[in-house]
Amino acid sequence: DAGVIQSPRHEVTEMGQEVTLRCKPISGHDYLFWYRQTMMRGLELLIYFNNNVPIDDSGMPEDRFSAKMPNASFSTLKIQPSEPRDSAVYFCASSPRGTHNYGYTFGSGTRLTVV
Amino acid sequence: AQSVAQPEDQVNVAEGNPLTVKCTYSVSGNPYLFWYVQYPNRGLQFLLKYITGDNLVKGSYGFEAEFNKSQTSFHLKKPSALVSDSALYFCAVRAFLHNDYKLSFGAGTTVTVRA
């Protein structure tokens, strides 16, 4: 298994531009999570999905952020328009359902820089 | 609400000495507890978990953690630290709630092991 795959690994964009981050979870995992990591705020849960349905989006900072999961193998996190304060590392993670495993598998992250 | 506190931003130890990274948690009901490690420019990697059973949990790379319900703690330990253990360590908790897979992470503790 290739693990959780995120793309791109690095993204540099200008303020006001649209940014789309992508994630492919591990096959068979029912849960998908988007986290943001910054020095100031640590790891913040933005949103998570169960079977492609958003369950909790209370961590999404504002309307500029949106996330979708059109199918079990793909999710996107979009920022439009982007701002310098959105600069962070964005992680995607997935987890299976069941009583034997309650941890996440994380992707390598996308480092976003908004200038 | 669930939360995790890692009271030390940094822990410095000499190679060969014991390493302890502290974690306390707050959750309604029984907790599921996890430790993750993050190396520079990488995603988080699972180290170990406590679900139920023995209070001493053994994990990857010689790490172990002790669950203490009365003190609501889950400290990470390694008897003899290696320079390669230098990394950022996160404690995480989730409550045993049906269909709630949301993990809350601590702020992280940077471990530096000097040769």
Side-chain angles (χ1 to χ4, degrees):
Chain A
D1 197 325
V4 177
I5 300 173
Q6 290 187 248
S7 63
R9 288 297 307 274
H10 302 274
E11 177 79 39
V12 180
T13 191
E14 292 185 346
M15 182 174 62
Q17 296 298 306
E18 177 180 297
V19 175
T20 299
L21 312 181
R22 297 173 176 79
C23 175
K24 177 179 169 55
I26 291 174
S27 178
H29 280 195
D30 295 323
Y31 288 81
L32 184 139
F33 307 82
W34 281 101
Y35 279 84
R36 177 171 69 175
Q37 184 180 34
T38 61
M39 290 291 291
M40 291 296 294
R41 302 172 71 92
L43 272 168
E44 303 173 276
L45 176 64
L46 301 177
I47 185 171
Y48 80 96
F49 296 83
N50 178 19
N51 290 325
N52 314 337
V53 176
I55 302 300
D56 185 344
D57 66 354
S58 59
M60 295 286 263
E62 48 199 272
D63 292 345
R64 297 185 297 106
F65 285 69
S66 62
K68 294 182 180 179
M69 193 165 185
N71 57 61
S73 59
F74 184 65
S75 177
T76 60
L77 178 67
K78 185 177 294 185
I79 308 172
Q80 166 63 22
S82 58
E83 297 182 3
R85 59 191 169 123
D86 302 330
S87 298
V89 180
Y90 291 80
F91 288 105
C92 176
S94 68
S95 176
R97 182 175 182 164
T99 58
H100 62 285
N101 187 336
Y102 301 93
Y104 297 177
T105 301
F106 280 81
S108 298
T110 295
R111 183 175 295 276
L112 174 65
T113 303
V114 183
V115 298
Chain B
Q2 56 195 37
S3 64
V4 170
Q6 293 181 242
E8 299 160 317
D9 292 335
Q10 293 195 14
V11 170
N12 300 304
V13 298
E15 188 172 36
N17 282 1
L19 169 64
T20 298
V21 186
K22 295 180 181 178
C23 169
T24 59
Y25 66 89
S26 174
V27 71
S28 298
N30 293 323
Y32 292 156
L33 294 156
F34 303 83
W35 276 101
Y36 286 83
V37 60
Q38 185 180 28
Y39 297 100
N41 300 314
R42 302 287 295 275
L44 279 70
Q45 297 177 31
F46 171 80
L47 271 182
L48 52 79
K49 66 186 177 187
Y50 171 82
I51 304 299
T52 186
D54 289 340
N55 290 341
L56 186 64
V57 178
K58 294 188 183 297
S60 307
Y61 313 120
F63 283 94
E64 58 188 29
E66 186 168 10
F67 171 64
N68 187 317
K69 188 172 184 177
S70 63
Q71 297 186 3
T72 62
S73 66
F74 190 56
H75 301 330
L76 181 70
K77 300 180 181 182
K78 186 169 184 179
S80 179
L82 300 172
V83 172
S84 57
D85 294 328
S86 298
L88 182 57
Y89 290 80
F90 290 95
C91 182
V93 67
R94 65 164 277 230
F96 180 59
L97 294 174
H98 183 59
N99 283 341
D100 185 350
Y101 279 63
K102 185 165 57 179
L103 273 182
S104 297
F105 287 85
T109 298
T110 299
V111 170
T112 302
V113 182
R114 60 186 184 275

